[in-house]
Amino acid sequence: MMPQVTTLSNKERTKLPHQEMPLRPAESRVLNFDEVPVGYSNDQALSESLRCLHCKKPACVGACPVGIDIPGFIRLIEEGDPAAAAKKIRETNFLPAVCGRVCPQDKQCQAVCVVGRKNIPVGIGNLERYAADYERTNGTLEIPVIQEPTGKRVAIIGSGPAGLSAAYELTIRGHEVVVFEASHRAGGVLVYGIPRFRLPLRIIDEDVRFLTRLGVRFVYNMVIGKVLTLEDLLHQEGFDAVMIGTGAGLPRMLNVPGSNANGVYSANEYLTRIYLMEANHFPKYSTPVSSGKKVAVIGAGNTAMDVLRTAKRLGAEPTCYYRRSHDEAPARSEELKHAEQEAIGWRWLSNPVEFIVDENNFVKQIKCERMELSEPDETGRRKPLPTGNFFVEDCDTVVMSLGCSVNPIIPSTDAEIRTNKWGVITVDSNTCQTSKKGVFAAGDAITGGSTVILAMGQAKKAAAAMHEYLVGKPVSASFEVLNGVPATVS
Amino acid sequence: MTDRVNQILQKFDAHIVESVTQTLDKVKALTDLTQDEKLDLAKNLCELFFHAHHTSSTLMPKLAVTTGKRIAKFGPEMIPFLIDEVMEADGESAVYFGKALSRFGVRGLDYTLARLNDCKDQDHDLINLMQVLSYFKIPETANAIPTILAQAQHPNHQVTAMALYTVGRLTQKLQTSAFSESTRSAMFDHIFRFLSGVQGLVRKNAARTLGKMLRRGLLSHENEKKLYNAFLSITGRDEHHNWDRAFIVRREAEDFLPYFHAETAPVKLYTQSFKILSKRLLCTNTYHFTIDAPLIARKIEAGQFLIVRPHIFSERIPLSVCGWNREKGSVSIIVSAVGKTTTEINTMGVGDAFQDVVGPLGERSIIPADAGTCVVIGGGYGTGAIIPTAKDLKALGCKVIGIVGARSEDSLIMIPELKQACDEVVVTTNDGSQGIKGFVTDALREVLHRENVTYVLAVGPVPMMKAVSEMTRPANITTYVSLNAIMVDGTGMCGACRVTVGGETKFACFHGPDFDGHKVDFENLMKRQKMFVKEEKLAFERMK
C-alpha cells in the first residue's frame, strides 16, 4: 500500500529509495537498435514522484533552459494523473518525450535538486519521460488552443529541435508557419544524429505529425540559401519573418596525416549513413557504411558515445580515444555509464597524431601520443600535455567526433547576416534577432553546438520576440554574440 | 400467372444477353397489364439485378438498367415490392434497385426514407437503402441529407461510411441550387468531424464527400479554409511520414487539393513533383532525363549539381545538370548506369517520379571576368555538364572551344547540343572511330598551340581532369575541374566529400564542385572514390 500523499513529511520523503531506470541487459541490447532504457512502470513513477520535496523556491525550475514547472508536474504524477502531468510539461516544453530521453538532466535540473545534496536527486528526466510516454501510449494528447489567425506568415529553416519548438510556439499564437527542411525527413539532428536506441524514430514522427495537425506545413528537399534565399522568402514569397534553425552541421576534422584516408568518417557522416539513410540495412537500403571490425572513435562527447554504441551494434569492436581522462569526458554521465556497460575499449589520455594507411589509402592503424594532465588552470580545467610516448593500434575505421561548426550556407548567401569568426550567427541576446530585420535565429546556429533543450529554450525566446515583431511591437536590436564560443571537445 | 406472362417468362434466362433483350422487348410491347401480371414480371425480371454484375458481358449492366426502367413504367405500386427486394440484395445489386427506384421521383424517395427510419437496427438494410438513395436525382433529395447524415452516427462504421458516401454522391449529382445555405454549413460541420474518425474507410469517405462539396462550390470561405488545412495535414505534403496512416485517405485529400480557390490557398505549396518529363537514350546505358522541378529550375546556375534519391530505399547520389528550362520548370540530367542506383534510375520511365531531388547545390562555375578564348572539356558523360558553362562563356563574349573525349563513336553524347553552345567542337575518340584518335589532351595540346587560351574547364573522369590540369600548368592557364566526390547530404553536414585542394581540406559539396585544377590532390580523390567499391559491387550483384 502506497503511503498517503499528503501525510508524507519531507523527512519521510527523503528516506524513500531512488528508483533506478530499468535498462535492457547490456549483452542483449547491443544486438539491435531497440531503446535501451525501458521506462518507469506506474509504481516506480509513483514512488519516484514521492521523493520530490516540492521546495518553496524550486532550484530545478531555474536550472531548466525552458523553465518547466518541475514540482508541479511531479505533484500530478504523485496524484496519479500522468496525463495532466504531461499537459503541464507541454505548457513550456513541446517535446517532453524527446527531452525526457536526451536532456543532460545531471547538469541541469537534477544537478541543483535539493534531494541530491545528500542523496541521489529526484529522477526528473525519467519522470518527464514517463509522463510523455503515458500521454502518447494512452492518446491523451489534446490539441492546444490556437489563437485567432493573425494573417502573418513565418518561415522556419530547419526542422530540428529549435525549428520544431519555434513552429509550435508561433502556430499557437495564430501565425501561419512553413518549415523548410533540407533533407527528406523532419527532425534534424533528432533523426540523423541521435541513435534510435536513445530516441526511437516514432517519437519524433509523432511530434512532427502533431505539428502538422496544428497546421504547420513541412517542405522537404529545400536548401534555403540555394533554392530560395532569405531575400526570396521575405520579399518574393511573402513571409513576414524568418527563423534560422539550421544547427551546427559542419563537422570538424583532425588535421593530422591520414585524415582524408578511406575509412575515416566524421561522426555526422557515420551516424547519417546509419540513421538517416539506414545503412545498417545495407544492401536493402543502398547506402553503404564500411564499418569494419575495429572502429576507433576520437573524442568522448555525447556524439562519441553514440558512435561507439552504434558501432558496437553493427558488430564491431569500438574503442574510444580521448586526450583527457575519464573524469573530463564531456559526455552526459548516463551515456558514459551506458557505453561502459557495453564492452567498449577505452584509451584515455591518448591523442591521435596520425592515421596510418595501406597502399590503397585505407586506414589500418592509429598512432597516438600518450598525454598527462596538468594542474587545474584558472578555469579549473586540466589541460592535456604531451609526454612524447607514442603507441600504435590496429583499426580499420576511424570516426571523428570532435564537434561541429555552424553550417555556412545561409550566412554565405546573405550579406546582411553577420557572423563571428567561428561562423556563429550573431544575434541580440534578448530577442534572438539577427543583424537582418525580421530574421531571427536559434539553436546551434547561434551557439555553435549545444543541447536539444538549450536550442528549444532559445527557440521559445525567439518565437516570443518574433510574435512581438509580427504584431508590430518594436524589437530591440543590439547585436551581441550569445554564447559565441563554439563548444569543442578539446 | 396469365398465359402471356408465362409465355414470356418461360423463355427468360437472366444469364443470357439475347434472352434478356428479347424479353425486355416483349415486355415493352405488352399493354393493359394487371396488378398481378406486373408483380410476376417484376419479380422475375429483378433476378437480373442479382446477376448483372457477375457476368463478363459489358451489356448486362446496361440491360439491368433498362429492366429497372421497364419495371418503373409499371407504376408506383411497384415501390414496396422493390424496396422489399432491396433488403435481400447485396451491395452491387442494390445499385440497380436504386436506379429503378429513382425513376419514381418523390414518391420513391418518400417511401425509401420511410423505410430507412423503420430499420434502424438492420445494418445491412440501412446500407442498401442508403445506396438506393444515392441514385435519386430530384432536388428534393437534398432535404433527405440530414436524415442520411443522422445514420452516420451509427455504431457500425460500415453504415457511417455508406452514409458519407451517399451524401457525397448526392453532392455530385444534385444541382447546387438544391442545397440551401444552412444545409451546406450543417453538412460540412457534420461531415468534417468524421475526418478524424478511427476507421480509415470513414475518413476516406468523409474526405471524398467534403472534396466533392468543395468541387461543386458548396463551401463557405471559412469552411473551405478549414478543409484546406485539414487536407494539408492529412497529406502532410509529404509521403515520408504517413501522415494519415491510411493511404486511401491521403490519396483522396491529394486529389482534391487542386480545387481550392486561390484566396484560400495563397501559399505556394513548394511541391515539386520530380516527375520524369522525358527520357532519351544517348548511348548504351546512358540516358538523358528531363525532370519537373520548377523551384530548382528557377535558381540553378552552370556548375551546380543536384542530389537525387530515386526511391525510399536508395542512396542519395550527386548528379550534374546539363541544362534547364526556367519557364517550363524542368532540369535535365544525364545518367550513365555504372552502379546500383544509376541502373535503377535508368529503369525509370516518363511519368515516374524521383522520391527526392535536392538542389541547386554547390557554387556556380567560376568564369573569367573578361572575354577571351576558353576551352571546355568533357569526358564521357561529363560532356553534358560543360554545356551550361559553355553557354555562359559564350554569353560573356568568349570564343568557346569544346573538346569531347569518348571511347568510340558509339559513346559520344550531346554533340549537337555542345556544338550549339560552342564556336568550335573538337571530337576525340580512343579508337579513332570519329575525330582525332587519342585523348582529349591530344586535342588540347593542338588547341593550346594555335590559340591564346585563358580559361579551361574540364569535367569527366578524374585521370582526364588530372591530365588536363598537368597540361595547362606550365603556361599557368586558369583551369577548373569539377570534382565528383562521394556525397551523402550535399549541404556540408557530413563531410563525406572531403577533397584536398592546395593542402587544405575542402568540402566538394559547398566549396565546390569546381576547384582550381592546379591545386587539387587528384591521387587522394581517386582513392577516396574507391572507398565503397566492395559495397557497391555487392549491392549491384544483389540487385541482379
Side-chain angles (χ1 to χ4, degrees):
Chain A
M1 192 59 198
M2 263 314 146
Q4 274 295 309
V5 172
T6 44
T7 58
L8 274 179
S9 71
N10 274 0
K11 206 167 177 186
E12 283 169 319
R13 282 173 185 267
T14 47
K15 280 182 185 156
L16 291 168
H18 167 68
Q19 298 292 319
E20 281 288 335
M21 172 61 95
L23 302 176
R24 292 171 55 227
E27 304 78 50
S28 63
R29 76 190 187 216
V30 296
L31 301 176
N32 59 36
F33 286 84
D34 292 347
E35 203 178 0
V36 168
V38 289
Y40 274 163
S41 68
N42 290 345
D43 287 348
Q44 274 186 306
L46 196 59
S47 310
E48 187 66 24
S49 69
L50 290 172
R51 297 182 68 233
C52 179
L53 301 178
H54 300 282
C55 318
K56 286 226 167 56
K57 286 180 185 163
C60 49
V61 179
C64 175
V66 294
I68 297 173
D69 179 4
I70 293 166
F73 91 77
I74 294 183
R75 173 75 79 190
L76 287 163
I77 295 180
E78 190 180 322
E79 286 166 4
D81 192 355
K87 202 173 162 190
K88 186 99 195 157
I89 304 171
R90 274 190 188 270
E91 285 171 12
T92 41
N93 179 351
F94 158 68
L95 300 167
V98 173
C99 290
R101 285 170 168 84
V102 303
C103 255
Q105 288 98 359
D106 53 344
K107 288 180 183 156
Q108 294 168 354
C109 50
Q110 290 175 203
V112 295
C113 179
V114 173
V115 181
R117 283 183 202 161
K118 286 183 181 164
N119 208 330
I120 301 167
V122 180
I124 299 170
N126 295 344
L127 287 171
E128 181 183 16
R129 176 189 156 152
Y130 167 75
D133 286 358
Y134 181 92
E135 180 186 53
R136 194 180 63 255
T137 47
N138 292 281
T140 63
L141 177 55
E142 287 169 22
I143 300 280
V145 182
I146 293 178
Q147 302 297 314
E148 282 293 301
T150 56
K152 300 288 182 183
R153 302 180 57 214
V154 184
I156 292 177
I157 308 167
S159 65
L164 294 180
S165 312
Y168 175 77
E169 297 288 335
L170 289 163
T171 304
I172 59 169
R173 287 179 168 99
H175 307 297
E176 191 176 330
V177 176
V178 180
V179 180
F180 293 99
E181 166 60 43
S183 88
H184 53 264
R185 235 199 162 113
V189 73
L190 302 178
V191 172
Y192 76 74
I194 297 183
R196 301 284 185 266
F197 53 84
R198 276 177 64 200
L199 180 63
L201 192 60
R202 63 170 192 283
I203 289 170
I204 309 152
D205 276 358
E206 294 253 337
D207 285 326
V208 173
R209 196 186 155 120
F210 176 66
L211 279 180
T212 63
R213 289 261 179 265
L214 300 184
V216 177
R217 193 115 24 87
F218 286 85
V219 190
Y220 298 90
N221 299 324
M222 298 287 275
V223 181
I224 299 300
K226 293 289 182 188
V227 69
L228 291 169
T229 60
L230 289 180
E231 283 293 310
D232 291 342
L233 289 176
L234 288 168
H235 299 121
Q236 174 190 322
E237 303 296 323
F239 286 99
D240 300 291
V242 177
M243 200 204 80
I244 303 172
T246 47
L250 189 70
R252 244 174 267 147
M253 308 297 285
L254 270 186
N255 199 9
V256 299
S259 285
N260 287 350
N262 293 0
V264 179
Y265 296 92
S266 70
N268 267 6
E269 180 184 357
Y270 192 78
L271 295 173
T272 302
R273 281 180 181 270
I274 291 159
Y275 294 115
L276 184 70
M277 306 307 296
E278 319 264 354
N280 51 332
H281 297 302
F282 180 84
K284 183 190 173 195
Y285 285 81
S286 317
T287 308
V289 59
S290 64
S291 187
K293 282 261 93 132
K294 284 185 178 289
V295 178
V297 180
I298 321 294
N302 284 323
T303 312
M305 297 306 126
D306 291 346
V307 174
L308 287 162
R309 298 171 72 194
T310 301
K312 184 81 192 169
R313 279 156 178 77
L314 290 176
E317 291 172 32
T319 309
C320 175
Y321 295 85
Y322 184 49
R323 60 184 184 146
R324 295 171 206 253
S325 74
H326 177 276
D327 296 341
E328 283 81 25
R332 204 177 142 205
S333 64
E334 197 190 335
E335 296 307 322
L336 200 56
K337 199 173 77 194
H338 290 174
E340 280 170 334
Q341 290 165 355
E342 292 178 6
I344 283 163
W346 304 94
R347 303 285 182 275
W348 304 112
L349 295 165
S350 308
N351 188 30
V353 289
E354 188 185 349
F355 304 112
I356 301 161
V357 298
D358 64 9
E359 65 282 2
N360 292 323
N361 199 34
F362 277 86
V363 63
K364 62 172 184 182
Q365 278 172 329
I366 175 170
K367 186 178 177 189
C368 295
E369 182 171 13
R370 287 188 212 283
M371 310 297 269
E372 59 184 17
L373 290 178
S374 69
E375 289 307 306
D377 60 6
E378 58 270 23
T379 59
R381 211 168 176 192
R382 300 176 68 183
K383 267 180 113 170
L385 302 170
T387 61
N389 292 329
F390 294 90
F391 67 95
V392 174
E393 283 189 357
D394 286 351
C395 68
D396 46 21
T397 304
V398 173
V399 185
M400 294 192 205
S401 171
L402 306 166
C404 286
S405 320
V406 176
N407 195 302
I409 288 185
I410 288 179
S412 71
T413 53
D414 195 298
E416 283 180 69
I417 298 288
R418 263 188 267 156
T419 60
N420 69 5
K421 63 177 171 174
W422 294 284
V424 175
I425 296 172
T426 49
V427 292
D428 180 281
S429 55
N430 294 318
T431 63
C432 289
Q433 180 159 221
T434 65
S435 44
K436 191 178 172 79
K437 193 169 167 262
V439 178
F440 298 72
D444 284 358
I446 60 169
T447 55
S450 183
T451 58
V452 169
I453 190 77
L454 206 64
M456 291 178 64
Q458 287 160 355
K460 269 176 75 100
K461 193 157 78 175
M466 284 171 90
H467 177 68
E468 305 251 293
Y469 171 81
L470 289 167
V471 297
K473 288 187 192 156
V475 173
S476 91
S478 61
F479 305 109
E480 46 184 286
V481 187
L482 182 94
N483 184 15
V485 185
T488 51
V489 184
S490 51
Chain B
M1 204 179 280
T2 56
D3 284 347
R4 57 172 181 172
V5 171
N6 215 353
Q7 232 172 16
I8 293 171
L9 291 178
Q10 257 176 5
K11 285 182 184 166
F12 175 68
D13 186 340
H15 296 280
I16 299 164
V17 174
E18 289 75 27
S19 163
V20 175
T21 329
Q22 284 165 15
T23 313
L24 285 177
D25 286 344
K26 283 174 197 163
V27 171
K28 196 180 178 186
L30 293 178
T31 48
D32 304 327
L33 284 166
T34 66
Q35 191 63 23
D36 287 343
E37 282 174 332
K38 282 179 187 170
L39 260 179
D40 282 338
L41 278 173
K43 254 178 207 159
N44 284 284
L45 289 176
C46 273
E47 215 185 311
L48 184 61
F49 294 169
F50 294 94
H51 294 301
H53 57 276
H54 289 316
T55 61
S56 56
S57 159
T58 49
L59 264 179
M60 220 41 138
K62 284 178 192 160
L63 286 172
V65 175
T66 324
T67 312
K69 203 161 132 192
R70 292 276 172 279
I71 297 174
K73 283 268 170 62
F74 293 165
E77 52 273 34
M78 291 293 116
I79 299 173
F81 160 72
L82 284 171
I83 292 277
D84 285 342
E85 288 288 309
V86 168
M87 305 301 192
E88 306 297 320
D90 55 284
E92 282 91 351
S93 324
V95 170
Y96 301 111
F97 283 105
K99 285 180 177 170
L101 278 162
S102 69
R103 293 179 189 277
F104 294 103
V106 187
R107 294 180 71 171
L109 179 68
D110 289 348
Y111 200 91
T112 317
L113 280 175
R115 288 301 286 268
L116 193 67
N117 290 329
D118 289 346
C119 56
K120 283 232 169 344
D121 303 323
Q122 310 291 320
D123 296 1
H124 173 262
D125 298 356
L126 272 178
I127 289 176
N128 276 0
L129 285 173
M130 282 192 286
Q131 174 92 283
V132 167
L133 279 173
S134 69
Y135 287 93
F136 282 88
K137 286 175 194 157
I138 47 172
E140 287 82 354
T141 324
N143 304 330
I145 287 177
T147 323
I148 300 169
L149 281 177
Q151 308 299 333
Q153 305 296 353
H154 202 281
N156 183 345
H157 79 269
Q158 301 273 7
V159 178
T160 312
M162 191 66 216
L164 294 172
Y165 168 80
T166 306
V167 176
R169 265 199 72 96
L170 293 177
T171 313
Q172 202 176 9
K173 293 271 151 126
L174 304 181
Q175 292 190 342
T176 45
S177 56
F179 300 91
S180 70
E181 206 56 57
S182 57
T183 318
R184 293 175 189 192
S185 63
M187 267 167 81
F188 178 84
D189 292 342
H190 205 108
I191 304 168
F192 191 76
R193 279 183 290 136
F194 289 106
L195 270 187
S196 47
V198 179
Q199 295 290 339
L201 186 64
V202 171
R203 294 203 300 277
K204 176 204 169 224
N205 283 2
R208 192 172 178 80
T209 305
L210 289 168
K212 283 174 174 172
M213 288 181 72
L214 165 76
R215 198 161 64 187
R216 305 241 30 211
L218 295 180
L219 297 184
S220 69
H221 187 68
E222 293 100 70
N223 285 347
E224 189 177 327
K225 185 92 191 158
K226 221 166 140 187
L227 185 65
Y228 179 67
N229 288 333
F231 275 14
L232 286 182
S233 151
I234 287 171
T235 54
R237 304 311 308 145
D238 159 88
E239 50 277 1
H240 309 294
H241 283 90
N242 302 334
W243 299 112
D244 194 305
R245 289 184 310 284
F247 165 69
I248 47 172
V249 188
R250 293 203 302 277
R251 194 180 55 184
E252 289 300 342
E254 198 80 48
D255 284 353
F256 286 106
L257 276 179
Y259 293 99
F260 287 98
H261 294 106
E263 58 269 28
T264 313
V267 186
K268 282 173 229 133
L269 294 171
Y270 305 104
T271 43
Q272 307 179 81
S273 74
F274 305 137
K275 271 195 181 143
I276 296 172
L277 303 173
S278 74
K279 180 185 181 185
R280 182 157 60 95
L281 181 70
L282 295 174
C283 70
T284 320
N285 282 341
T286 305
Y287 288 90
H288 175 279
F289 290 97
T290 314
I291 307 170
D292 174 61
L295 292 169
I296 297 174
R298 209 164 62 190
K299 271 277 154 62
I300 195 155
E301 297 287 351
Q304 289 185 309
F305 66 97
L306 308 176
I307 289 264
V308 172
R309 193 171 75 127
H311 60 82
I312 60 164
F313 294 113
S314 56
E315 55 184 335
R316 295 160 67 102
I317 57 162
L319 289 173
S320 49
V321 173
C322 66
W324 53 83
N325 186 328
R326 296 205 205 273
E327 284 74 44
K328 284 187 185 156
S330 64
V331 289
S332 306
I333 53 172
I334 293 173
V335 183
S336 183
V338 290
K340 183 184 178 187
T341 308
T342 42
T343 309
E344 281 170 349
I345 294 176
N346 279 355
T347 58
M348 296 169 79
V350 173
D352 289 344
F354 286 90
Q355 181 71 22
D356 301 294
V357 178
V358 191
L361 295 169
E363 294 292 331
R364 58 178 300 174
S365 290
I366 306 148
I367 53 172
D370 307 310
T373 304
C374 304
V375 180
V376 288
I377 306 170
Y381 53 93
T383 313
I386 57 173
I387 295 174
T389 317
K391 284 180 182 162
D392 277 7
L393 290 169
K394 202 163 179 188
L396 190 74
C398 300
K399 178 179 180 186
V400 186
I401 302 169
I403 300 178
V404 182
R407 274 194 310 278
S408 70
E409 191 177 10
D410 307 333
S411 47
L412 279 170
I413 56 168
M414 302 292 283
I415 299 298
E417 290 85 350
L418 189 65
K419 277 186 175 156
Q420 270 185 3
C422 299
D423 296 290
E424 183 192 339
V425 171
V426 186
V427 174
T428 67
T429 48
N430 299 1
D431 61 358
S433 48
Q434 193 179 334
I436 302 168
K437 181 176 175 178
F439 299 96
V440 288
T441 39
D442 298 323
L444 180 63
R445 190 179 299 119
E446 185 265 323
V447 172
L448 291 179
H449 190 70
R450 66 176 150 98
E451 302 273 351
N452 180 21
V453 176
T454 55
Y455 172 96
V456 175
L457 170 77
V459 186
V462 181
M464 184 211 93
M465 294 193 285
K466 187 184 175 198
V468 168
S469 302
E470 289 310 319
M471 183 165 278
T472 57
R473 195 193 297 275
N476 205 14
I477 302 167
T478 314
T479 305
Y480 285 99
V481 289
S482 178
L483 302 186
N484 45 349
I486 292 171
M487 293 185 192
V488 182
D489 71 302
T491 57
M493 188 195 76
C494 74
C497 59
R498 302 195 297 281
V499 288
T500 315
V501 180
E504 275 180 76
T505 297
K506 297 269 182 190
F507 287 5
C509 65
F510 78 83
H511 290 127
D514 291 4
F515 290 100
D516 185 342
H518 296 153
K519 290 183 182 165
V520 173
D521 180 350
F522 288 104
E523 293 300 321
N524 184 259
L525 176 66
M526 261 186 269
K527 283 173 180 164
R528 277 191 70 80
Q529 281 185 334
K530 296 203 174 91
M531 182 142 160
F532 294 106
V533 166
K534 216 168 60 193
E535 285 82 3
E536 281 163 9
K537 224 169 139 185
L538 174 74
F540 200 31
E541 272 160 16
R542 288 278 179 91
M543 195 181 116
K544 294 174 190 164

